[in-house]
Amino acid sequence: MTLMTWNTRGNNPSAYMLNENAQGFGAPLRRLIPDFICLQEAGNGGWGGNVGPAIACGWNPAPSFAHYRQITNAVVGITQYNGYMVPWQANIGGHQRCNVVLLWNAIHGAHAAMPVNGWHDGNAAHRPVLWVTPGAGRRVACIHAPAGGNMVYINAAIGAVAAAAPGAGWIIAGDLNMIPGALAGMPGGTGTIHSNGMTQQLGGNLDYLLHNGAAPFVNCASAGAFVGNSDHLQVRFS
């Protein structure tokens, strides 16, 4: 299993999301084609005809849109991905930059193979957490925590993702908006995997993952360059 997370700052940069030269990763992650891609601030353009109709849900409540959408056969680099998009706004008519997207390599199946669910804490200013549960392997969740850090939110998200998770465990990846050393009070057995370096332009290590059980990856690194409009470095795991 491999994974990538990136806060794209409102763009859908599918043309260079996995571009070796633009991202500037070293071995062994330079040519990674991730099984899962977690995007924060993914914007709402650039997916073309790959986005399906709205599907009602209770975990993206008003003033946001109360739905999610399927993404089918979106091409990232030269690889097809399926996934889910959560269109999100904090207020009616607000900016939709902060959409959350979770993709998986289409070789792992269509949407029936990756049942979706999510969680919201009831605060209109906070984004939902989105996850899929494969038929085998760990549950994978995408998170964009509130700006400035919020352990109440993060710990509640852990509880929601962990509930009825498969025996293989769970992963929560994304923009935590807190450095790993500031995390506190997490459930026992929760681990972190991070790149040990700056992932955000102001200097914070904000983009990484949480997991339970044994560490699911042995390699982790952040990109060698800021790409496009993003002020975050992409982070990869294998």
mmCIF file of all heavy atoms in Angstrom, residues 151-189:
data_model
loop_
_atom_site.group_PDB
_atom_site.id
_atom_site.type_symbol
_atom_site.label_atom_id
_atom_site.label_comp_id
_atom_site.label_asym_id
_atom_site.label_seq_id
_atom_site.Cartn_x
_atom_site.Cartn_y
_atom_site.Cartn_z
ATOM 1 N N MET A 151 -7.075 19.988 18.894
ATOM 2 C CA MET A 151 -6.990 18.600 19.331
ATOM 3 C C MET A 151 -8.356 18.005 19.616
ATOM 4 O O MET A 151 -8.541 16.782 19.470
ATOM 5 C CB MET A 151 -6.109 18.475 20.573
ATOM 6 C CG MET A 151 -4.625 18.394 20.302
ATOM 7 S SD MET A 151 -4.082 17.205 19.017
ATOM 8 C CE MET A 151 -4.813 15.666 19.548
ATOM 9 N N VAL A 152 -9.336 18.815 20.017
ATOM 10 C CA VAL A 152 -10.683 18.276 20.225
ATOM 11 C C VAL A 152 -11.202 17.705 18.911
ATOM 12 O O VAL A 152 -11.746 16.595 18.861
ATOM 13 C CB VAL A 152 -11.625 19.359 20.785
ATOM 14 C CG1 VAL A 152 -13.061 18.863 20.820
ATOM 15 C CG2 VAL A 152 -11.172 19.795 22.168
ATOM 16 N N TYR A 153 -11.033 18.472 17.843
ATOM 17 C CA TYR A 153 -11.454 18.019 16.516
ATOM 18 C C TYR A 153 -10.679 16.775 16.095
ATOM 19 O O TYR A 153 -11.270 15.788 15.625
ATOM 20 C CB TYR A 153 -11.242 19.155 15.524
ATOM 21 C CG TYR A 153 -11.494 18.818 14.071
ATOM 22 C CD1 TYR A 153 -12.712 19.106 13.477
ATOM 23 C CD2 TYR A 153 -10.497 18.237 13.282
ATOM 24 C CE1 TYR A 153 -12.947 18.809 12.140
ATOM 25 C CE2 TYR A 153 -10.721 17.935 11.943
ATOM 26 C CZ TYR A 153 -11.947 18.227 11.380
ATOM 27 O OH TYR A 153 -12.160 17.933 10.052
ATOM 28 N N ILE A 154 -9.361 16.806 16.225
ATOM 29 C CA ILE A 154 -8.542 15.680 15.773
ATOM 30 C C ILE A 154 -8.881 14.405 16.541
ATOM 31 O O ILE A 154 -9.050 13.335 15.949
ATOM 32 C CB ILE A 154 -7.045 16.032 15.893
ATOM 33 C CG1 ILE A 154 -6.680 17.108 14.865
ATOM 34 C CG2 ILE A 154 -6.176 14.780 15.697
ATOM 35 C CD1 ILE A 154 -5.280 17.664 15.017
ATOM 36 N N ASN A 155 -9.015 14.502 17.852
ATOM 37 C CA ASN A 155 -9.325 13.308 18.630
ATOM 38 C C ASN A 155 -10.716 12.775 18.329
ATOM 39 O O ASN A 155 -10.932 11.554 18.293
ATOM 40 C CB ASN A 155 -9.158 13.592 20.119
ATOM 41 C CG ASN A 155 -7.708 13.583 20.552
ATOM 42 O OD1 ASN A 155 -6.876 12.888 19.958
ATOM 43 N ND2 ASN A 155 -7.375 14.349 21.573
ATOM 44 N N ALA A 156 -11.671 13.679 18.098
ATOM 45 C CA ALA A 156 -13.009 13.225 17.725
ATOM 46 C C ALA A 156 -12.991 12.561 16.351
ATOM 47 O O ALA A 156 -13.691 11.565 16.112
ATOM 48 C CB ALA A 156 -13.989 14.395 17.744
ATOM 49 N N ALA A 157 -12.179 13.103 15.445
ATOM 50 C CA ALA A 157 -12.047 12.494 14.120
ATOM 51 C C ALA A 157 -11.452 11.091 14.224
ATOM 52 O O ALA A 157 -11.904 10.158 13.537
ATOM 53 C CB ALA A 157 -11.190 13.373 13.225
ATOM 54 N N ILE A 158 -10.448 10.941 15.068
ATOM 55 C CA ILE A 158 -9.868 9.614 15.277
ATOM 56 C C ILE A 158 -10.941 8.641 15.755
ATOM 57 O O ILE A 158 -11.059 7.512 15.259
ATOM 58 C CB ILE A 158 -8.700 9.675 16.279
ATOM 59 C CG1 ILE A 158 -7.522 10.446 15.689
ATOM 60 C CG2 ILE A 158 -8.271 8.256 16.684
ATOM 61 C CD1 ILE A 158 -6.408 10.718 16.683
ATOM 62 N N GLY A 159 -11.735 9.072 16.714
ATOM 63 C CA GLY A 159 -12.803 8.212 17.224
ATOM 64 C C GLY A 159 -13.793 7.810 16.149
ATOM 65 O O GLY A 159 -14.230 6.648 16.084
ATOM 66 N N ALA A 160 -14.157 8.764 15.286
ATOM 67 C CA ALA A 160 -15.120 8.471 14.221
ATOM 68 C C ALA A 160 -14.543 7.506 13.201
ATOM 69 O O ALA A 160 -15.215 6.558 12.772
ATOM 70 C CB ALA A 160 -15.552 9.775 13.545
ATOM 71 N N VAL A 161 -13.298 7.724 12.793
ATOM 72 C CA VAL A 161 -12.677 6.856 11.792
ATOM 73 C C VAL A 161 -12.442 5.454 12.366
ATOM 74 O O VAL A 161 -12.605 4.443 11.669
ATOM 75 C CB VAL A 161 -11.353 7.463 11.293
ATOM 76 C CG1 VAL A 161 -10.614 6.500 10.381
ATOM 77 C CG2 VAL A 161 -11.615 8.783 10.566
ATOM 78 N N ALA A 162 -12.072 5.392 13.633
ATOM 79 C CA ALA A 162 -11.765 4.103 14.257
ATOM 80 C C ALA A 162 -13.008 3.258 14.504
ATOM 81 O O ALA A 162 -12.911 2.025 14.583
ATOM 82 C CB ALA A 162 -11.024 4.329 15.571
ATOM 83 N N ALA A 163 -14.174 3.894 14.626
ATOM 84 C CA ALA A 163 -15.394 3.154 14.952
ATOM 85 C C ALA A 163 -15.714 2.157 13.841
ATOM 86 O O ALA A 163 -15.850 2.531 12.671
ATOM 87 C CB ALA A 163 -16.549 4.130 15.134
ATOM 88 N N ALA A 164 -15.825 0.895 14.203
ATOM 89 C CA ALA A 164 -16.150 -0.181 13.262
ATOM 90 C C ALA A 164 -15.151 -0.292 12.117
ATOM 91 O O ALA A 164 -15.486 -0.791 11.042
ATOM 92 C CB ALA A 164 -17.575 -0.008 12.708
ATOM 93 N N ALA A 165 -13.921 0.175 12.338
ATOM 94 C CA ALA A 165 -12.879 0.010 11.318
ATOM 95 C C ALA A 165 -12.528 -1.475 11.194
ATOM 96 O O ALA A 165 -12.698 -2.247 12.143
ATOM 97 C CB ALA A 165 -11.643 0.815 11.688
ATOM 98 N N PRO A 166 -12.036 -1.886 10.039
ATOM 99 C CA PRO A 166 -11.673 -3.303 9.874
ATOM 100 C C PRO A 166 -10.516 -3.694 10.791
ATOM 101 O O PRO A 166 -9.786 -2.829 11.312
ATOM 102 C CB PRO A 166 -11.271 -3.383 8.400
ATOM 103 C CG PRO A 166 -10.902 -1.990 8.015
ATOM 104 C CD PRO A 166 -11.772 -1.095 8.824
ATOM 105 N N GLY A 167 -10.334 -4.984 10.940
ATOM 106 C CA GLY A 167 -9.268 -5.468 11.798
ATOM 107 C C GLY A 167 -7.893 -5.023 11.356
ATOM 108 O O GLY A 167 -6.973 -4.917 12.182
ATOM 109 N N ALA A 168 -7.731 -4.737 10.071
ATOM 110 C CA ALA A 168 -6.437 -4.273 9.564
ATOM 111 C C ALA A 168 -6.085 -2.890 10.084
ATOM 112 O O ALA A 168 -4.912 -2.499 10.052
ATOM 113 C CB ALA A 168 -6.440 -4.264 8.037
ATOM 114 N N GLY A 169 -7.080 -2.119 10.556
ATOM 115 C CA GLY A 169 -6.807 -0.817 11.148
ATOM 116 C C GLY A 169 -7.222 0.341 10.265
ATOM 117 O O GLY A 169 -8.010 0.193 9.327
ATOM 118 N N TRP A 170 -6.660 1.515 10.562
ATOM 119 C CA TRP A 170 -7.051 2.745 9.872
ATOM 120 C C TRP A 170 -5.857 3.677 9.719
ATOM 121 O O TRP A 170 -4.858 3.576 10.430
ATOM 122 C CB TRP A 170 -8.175 3.452 10.631
ATOM 123 C CG TRP A 170 -7.897 3.677 12.099
ATOM 124 C CD1 TRP A 170 -8.303 2.894 13.136
ATOM 125 C CD2 TRP A 170 -7.131 4.749 12.689
ATOM 126 N NE1 TRP A 170 -7.840 3.406 14.339
ATOM 127 C CE2 TRP A 170 -7.127 4.545 14.089
ATOM 128 C CE3 TRP A 170 -6.465 5.859 12.165
ATOM 129 C CZ2 TRP A 170 -6.476 5.408 14.965
ATOM 130 C CZ3 TRP A 170 -5.805 6.726 13.041
ATOM 131 C CH2 TRP A 170 -5.818 6.492 14.423
ATOM 132 N N ILE A 171 -6.004 4.593 8.771
ATOM 133 C CA ILE A 171 -5.034 5.653 8.502
ATOM 134 C C ILE A 171 -5.823 6.943 8.328
ATOM 135 O O ILE A 171 -6.871 6.950 7.671
ATOM 136 C CB ILE A 171 -4.238 5.368 7.212
ATOM 137 C CG1 ILE A 171 -3.309 4.175 7.391
ATOM 138 C CG2 ILE A 171 -3.436 6.590 6.761
ATOM 139 C CD1 ILE A 171 -2.741 3.664 6.071
ATOM 140 N N ILE A 172 -5.329 8.037 8.893
ATOM 141 C CA ILE A 172 -5.895 9.371 8.667
ATOM 142 C C ILE A 172 -4.768 10.242 8.141
ATOM 143 O O ILE A 172 -3.782 10.490 8.846
ATOM 144 C CB ILE A 172 -6.467 9.979 9.958
ATOM 145 C CG1 ILE A 172 -7.533 9.066 10.571
ATOM 146 C CG2 ILE A 172 -7.040 11.368 9.681
ATOM 147 C CD1 ILE A 172 -8.050 9.550 11.920
ATOM 148 N N ALA A 173 -4.881 10.699 6.903
ATOM 149 C CA ALA A 173 -3.806 11.462 6.267
ATOM 150 C C ALA A 173 -4.330 12.814 5.818
ATOM 151 O O ALA A 173 -5.478 12.946 5.405
ATOM 152 C CB ALA A 173 -3.246 10.707 5.071
ATOM 153 N N GLY A 174 -3.452 13.816 5.896
ATOM 154 C CA GLY A 174 -3.846 15.124 5.383
ATOM 155 C C GLY A 174 -3.111 16.265 6.061
ATOM 156 O O GLY A 174 -1.985 16.111 6.546
ATOM 157 N N ASP A 175 -3.781 17.400 6.072
ATOM 158 C CA ASP A 175 -3.266 18.629 6.677
ATOM 159 C C ASP A 175 -3.824 18.712 8.090
ATOM 160 O O ASP A 175 -4.983 19.061 8.294
ATOM 161 C CB ASP A 175 -3.705 19.829 5.826
ATOM 162 C CG ASP A 175 -3.211 21.165 6.372
ATOM 163 O OD1 ASP A 175 -2.635 21.186 7.483
ATOM 164 O OD2 ASP A 175 -3.421 22.184 5.692
ATOM 165 N N LEU A 176 -2.980 18.365 9.074
ATOM 166 C CA LEU A 176 -3.412 18.355 10.468
ATOM 167 C C LEU A 176 -3.376 19.733 11.104
ATOM 168 O O LEU A 176 -3.920 19.942 12.191
ATOM 169 C CB LEU A 176 -2.563 17.378 11.278
ATOM 170 C CG LEU A 176 -2.889 15.886 11.220
ATOM 171 C CD1 LEU A 176 -4.238 15.593 11.829
ATOM 172 C CD2 LEU A 176 -2.761 15.301 9.844
ATOM 173 N N ASN A 177 -2.702 20.681 10.478
ATOM 174 C CA ASN A 177 -2.579 22.045 10.985
ATOM 175 C C ASN A 177 -1.983 22.112 12.387
ATOM 176 O O ASN A 177 -2.205 23.068 13.128
ATOM 177 C CB ASN A 177 -3.930 22.768 10.939
ATOM 178 C CG ASN A 177 -4.069 23.623 9.682
ATOM 179 O OD1 ASN A 177 -3.136 24.343 9.309
ATOM 180 N ND2 ASN A 177 -5.221 23.551 9.026
ATOM 181 N N MET A 178 -1.213 21.104 12.756
ATOM 182 C CA MET A 178 -0.446 21.073 14.003
ATOM 183 C C MET A 178 0.836 20.305 13.732
ATOM 184 O O MET A 178 0.831 19.327 12.984
ATOM 185 C CB MET A 178 -1.212 20.360 15.136
ATOM 186 C CG MET A 178 -2.472 21.040 15.590
ATOM 187 S SD MET A 178 -3.263 20.128 16.951
ATOM 188 C CE MET A 178 -2.126 20.480 18.301
ATOM 189 N N ILE A 179 1.925 20.719 14.353
ATOM 190 C CA ILE A 179 3.138 19.938 14.239
ATOM 191 C C ILE A 179 2.976 18.652 15.059
ATOM 192 O O ILE A 179 2.249 18.636 16.056
ATOM 193 C CB ILE A 179 4.374 20.725 14.692
ATOM 194 C CG1 ILE A 179 4.272 21.118 16.171
ATOM 195 C CG2 ILE A 179 4.578 21.956 13.822
ATOM 196 C CD1 ILE A 179 5.544 21.742 16.733
ATOM 197 N N PRO A 180 3.602 17.558 14.666
ATOM 198 C CA PRO A 180 3.410 16.296 15.384
ATOM 199 C C PRO A 180 3.703 16.392 16.879
ATOM 200 O O PRO A 180 3.022 15.760 17.689
ATOM 201 C CB PRO A 180 4.383 15.340 14.675
ATOM 202 C CG PRO A 180 4.507 15.893 13.294
ATOM 203 C CD PRO A 180 4.435 17.380 13.444
ATOM 204 N N GLY A 181 4.699 17.174 17.244
ATOM 205 C CA GLY A 181 5.058 17.288 18.649
ATOM 206 C C GLY A 181 4.020 17.963 19.512
ATOM 207 O O GLY A 181 4.079 17.882 20.744
ATOM 208 N N ALA A 182 3.052 18.644 18.891
ATOM 209 C CA ALA A 182 2.007 19.336 19.651
ATOM 210 C C ALA A 182 0.770 18.481 19.864
ATOM 211 O O ALA A 182 -0.133 18.872 20.606
ATOM 212 C CB ALA A 182 1.623 20.628 18.939
ATOM 213 N N LEU A 183 0.709 17.317 19.226
ATOM 214 C CA LEU A 183 -0.444 16.443 19.394
ATOM 215 C C LEU A 183 -0.516 15.950 20.835
ATOM 216 O O LEU A 183 0.504 15.610 21.438
ATOM 217 C CB LEU A 183 -0.344 15.250 18.443
ATOM 218 C CG LEU A 183 -0.335 15.566 16.947
ATOM 219 C CD1 LEU A 183 -0.018 14.304 16.153
ATOM 220 C CD2 LEU A 183 -1.654 16.168 16.495
ATOM 221 N N ALA A 184 -1.723 15.885 21.382
ATOM 222 C CA ALA A 184 -1.860 15.518 22.795
ATOM 223 C C ALA A 184 -3.168 14.769 23.005
ATOM 224 O O ALA A 184 -4.176 15.047 22.353
ATOM 225 C CB ALA A 184 -1.839 16.770 23.674
ATOM 226 N N GLY A 185 -3.140 13.812 23.935
ATOM 227 C CA GLY A 185 -4.361 13.143 24.367
ATOM 228 C C GLY A 185 -4.968 12.204 23.359
ATOM 229 O O GLY A 185 -6.155 11.858 23.465
ATOM 230 N N MET A 186 -4.185 11.763 22.374
ATOM 231 C CA MET A 186 -4.750 10.852 21.377
ATOM 232 C C MET A 186 -4.994 9.474 21.987
ATOM 233 O O MET A 186 -4.346 9.094 22.963
ATOM 234 C CB MET A 186 -3.809 10.747 20.178
ATOM 235 C CG MET A 186 -3.682 12.029 19.381
ATOM 236 S SD MET A 186 -2.779 11.820 17.811
ATOM 237 C CE MET A 186 -1.154 11.324 18.402
ATOM 238 N N PRO A 187 -5.937 8.713 21.432
ATOM 239 C CA PRO A 187 -6.191 7.364 21.953
ATOM 240 C C PRO A 187 -4.930 6.514 21.964
ATOM 241 O O PRO A 187 -4.048 6.654 21.107
ATOM 242 C CB PRO A 187 -7.226 6.806 20.959
ATOM 243 C CG PRO A 187 -7.884 8.009 20.375
ATOM 244 C CD PRO A 187 -6.829 9.069 20.326
ATOM 245 N N GLY A 188 -4.836 5.634 22.926
ATOM 246 C CA GLY A 188 -3.688 4.751 23.027
ATOM 247 C C GLY A 188 -3.475 3.954 21.759
ATOM 248 O O GLY A 188 -4.431 3.500 21.138
ATOM 249 N N GLY A 189 -2.229 3.790 21.382
ATOM 250 C CA GLY A 189 -1.904 3.038 20.182
ATOM 251 C C GLY A 189 -1.903 3.853 18.913
ATOM 252 O O GLY A 189 -1.635 3.316 17.833
#
